[in-house]
Amino acid sequence: MGLIQSWSGKAVIFLLVSLMNVLPASAEKVTRKDMDVVYQYRQINDGFGNIRLIQISGYVKNRDPRMASRVDISFKLSWQSRSSDVKKLEFINLPPNDIQDFEFEIDLGTQPDVLSSVICTIERIKFSKQREASPLTDNNIVLHDFYTLPRLNEEGKDFLNILKGMCTQHRFEIPLQNEFETTNEYETRLNEAENDHFSRLMDELEKRYGQLLGGQNAVVRFLPRTYRNSIVYLSECSAYFQIPIRFGRYNADRRMFENVSMVPRTFPYPPMTLVPDTLLNLIHKSGMFFLRKDEFFIEREEARIWRSDERFLVLEVTVRNGVVQNGPYFSDFCIVEKIQVKNTQTGRIIREWSIVAE
């Protein structure tokens, strides 16, 4: 019995060591239209010659002076006995001369096989051409208005309706590829046509949104900004709203307020909205603003002041409507520029968080 136990232990050790047996392959490179994909793969076997796991890692590099709004690549793994595996990867908003890493695994589980080949293909590349700001005219308006929560919700709906209506009314006609045109030439022409269509939509959006805010002849410019590697077009007009904030019991041992809440606890704003990170954890998701957590860290002496002023404390939030390019069309992408904890009696700003353009 002891001999069996001893041999069993050795077998387990041998198997564990074998599972770490990795067969590296040299890096390979695929290039298309100033876009490079460099990758390598490793075959991990179980010590008995059976390949059970493939690890593929590498990076995508944009050598073009333009922003790559989308890059689609695929990996096809061909096997000796089983059908091929295909893994598709999508990269969004890759700046000029920038690199995005990737890594994934193909697990064969209980069906090991022999790998015949790994083929990487760059299937699609789209470049975005930044739209320059429209020239100023006498019709341009720049507003910074106070909004009630119902008004905020209604304008969010109106803004989305403008975007959806324009994309429906102004359909993009995909040009046909002629017989003497290479795939790269056609995709370049298609990309330029999409960018031109997007630019024309933006011209009209500035007029329609201006009419919503300021009347028949008003125009609101949407200016390009970069946030988290994305080109965002933000309205020159902004809105701010206030919402009371309340604090539960102060936990002196943990040095934080517990059961922190807003009044109301949630409120709607339909467009997609990027919110800065805050200690109060205000977030926007699925068309709603709410607090992710109900705890707030604060030192005891300052907490006493907050408690005495609690009935005057609000969150003051500044938001701008905006869009991002999505091929020939646009998608909603609004920004909460600034969040403040404010004393409405004294006007004092106690805390402030903001999103800074790159």
Side-chain angles (χ1 to χ4, degrees):
M1 183 68 177
L3 179 61
I4 294 175
Q5 289 177 339
S6 175
W7 170 245
S8 176
K10 292 179 181 178
V12 170
I13 293 174
F14 173 75
L15 181 59
L16 289 174
V17 172
S18 298
L19 286 172
M20 299 304 293
N21 187 11
V22 175
L23 307 175
S26 58
E28 299 189 36
K29 181 178 179 180
V30 177
T31 297
R32 183 183 176 194
K33 294 169 61 175
D34 291 330
M35 195 69 60
D36 297 333
V37 178
V38 178
Y39 69 96
Q40 63 179 2
Y41 61 90
R42 300 190 299 172
Q43 305 181 55
I44 302 177
N45 66 49
D46 59 5
F48 301 100
N50 300 312
I51 305 301
R52 294 189 179 275
L53 186 69
I54 305 296
Q55 294 179 335
I56 298 180
S57 61
Y59 62 84
V60 178
K61 181 177 181 179
N62 178 17
R63 293 184 288 105
D64 195 279
R66 297 168 294 176
M67 169 80 77
S69 57
R70 177 170 176 171
V71 181
D72 293 343
I73 67 175
S74 69
F75 285 89
K76 181 180 180 180
L77 285 74
S78 298
W79 306 94
Q80 192 174 81
S81 302
R82 55 186 283 160
S83 58
S84 300
D85 286 297
V86 177
K87 176 70 174 180
K88 294 184 179 291
L89 303 178
E90 177 183 305
F91 300 86
I92 302 296
N93 295 323
L94 186 61
N97 298 313
D98 200 10
I99 289 175
Q100 285 191 21
D101 297 322
F102 63 84
E103 185 175 45
F104 64 91
E105 296 179 346
I106 301 294
D107 190 348
L108 303 185
T110 59
Q111 295 180 310
D113 207 331
V114 176
L115 182 65
S116 300
S117 65
V118 176
I119 299 176
C120 174
T121 304
I122 304 176
E123 295 185 337
R124 178 165 61 170
I125 304 171
K126 285 185 178 292
F127 292 104
S128 54
K129 179 181 178 182
Q130 180 172 307
R131 175 181 179 270
E132 298 299 324
S134 303
L136 279 169
T137 69
D138 293 337
N139 294 325
N140 288 115
I141 59 172
V142 179
L143 306 173
H144 182 61
D145 287 348
F146 173 76
Y147 278 39
T148 63
L149 296 186
R151 181 185 174 190
L152 178 75
N153 182 38
E154 287 305 312
E155 185 169 307
K157 292 179 182 177
D158 290 339
F159 182 65
L160 285 185
N161 287 335
I162 290 175
L163 300 186
K164 293 176 181 177
M166 289 180 57
C167 291
T168 300
Q169 295 164 14
H170 302 281
R171 305 302 298 176
F172 176 69
E173 294 186 6
I174 301 176
L176 298 177
Q177 181 178 359
N178 70 57
E179 60 180 319
F180 301 107
E181 197 172 26
T182 67
T183 299
N184 282 347
E185 289 171 342
Y186 169 69
E187 288 191 353
T188 298
R189 183 165 64 88
L190 173 62
N191 201 166
E192 291 174 353
E194 290 180 340
N195 289 337
D196 289 343
H197 188 268
F198 169 77
S199 185
R200 289 193 295 271
L201 282 184
M202 288 299 301
D203 290 340
E204 185 169 345
L205 173 62
E206 293 185 333
K207 295 177 182 177
R208 293 202 185 186
Y209 191 52
Q211 291 169 5
L212 176 67
L213 298 187
Q216 184 173 359
N217 296 318
V219 175
V220 174
R221 297 196 303 171
F222 282 75
L223 306 181
R225 296 288 185 269
T226 302
Y227 290 91
R228 301 180 183 178
N229 290 335
S230 295
I231 299 175
V232 182
Y233 297 90
L234 295 180
S235 164
E236 275 197 297
C237 294
S238 61
Y240 69 97
F241 60 91
Q242 295 178 341
I243 183 164
I245 186 168
R246 297 293 176 257
F247 305 95
R249 179 180 179 273
Y250 183 75
N251 188 321
D253 293 325
R254 301 176 65 202
R255 293 186 299 171
M256 62 175 52
F257 279 118
E258 299 174 330
N259 195 27
V260 180
S261 63
M262 300 183 299
V263 184
R265 288 181 175 269
T266 65
F267 53 96
Y269 183 60
M272 177 180 174
T273 305
L274 181 66
V275 181
D277 295 329
T278 70
L279 295 177
L280 283 168
N281 283 283
L282 177 69
I283 67 170
H284 181 274
K285 188 175 181 180
S286 300
M288 300 291 292
F289 280 107
F290 57 94
L291 295 180
R292 186 196 302 271
K293 297 180 180 179
D294 63 355
E295 299 176 331
F296 179 68
F297 176 84
I298 183 172
E299 296 293 348
R300 182 168 53 181
E301 294 308 312
E302 188 177 11
R304 286 196 176 100
I305 299 173
W306 284 40
R307 177 68 78 201
S308 64
D309 295 340
E310 184 174 2
R311 66 187 183 280
F312 304 116
L313 297 185
V314 298
L315 285 183
E316 185 168 291
V317 181
T318 299
V319 63
R320 287 185 189 271
N321 285 338
V323 298
V324 292
Q325 183 175 356
N326 182 10
Y329 303 109
F330 38 48
S331 300
D332 49 304
F333 197 99
C334 302
I335 299 285
V336 167
E337 285 189 320
K338 185 167 52 180
I339 300 175
Q340 298 174 334
V341 178
K342 190 172 185 178
N343 187 317
T344 56
Q345 183 186 47
T346 64
R348 178 170 171 257
I349 298 170
I350 305 170
R351 288 283 195 282
E352 182 173 309
W353 302 274
S354 59
I355 289 181
V356 180
E358 299 170 2

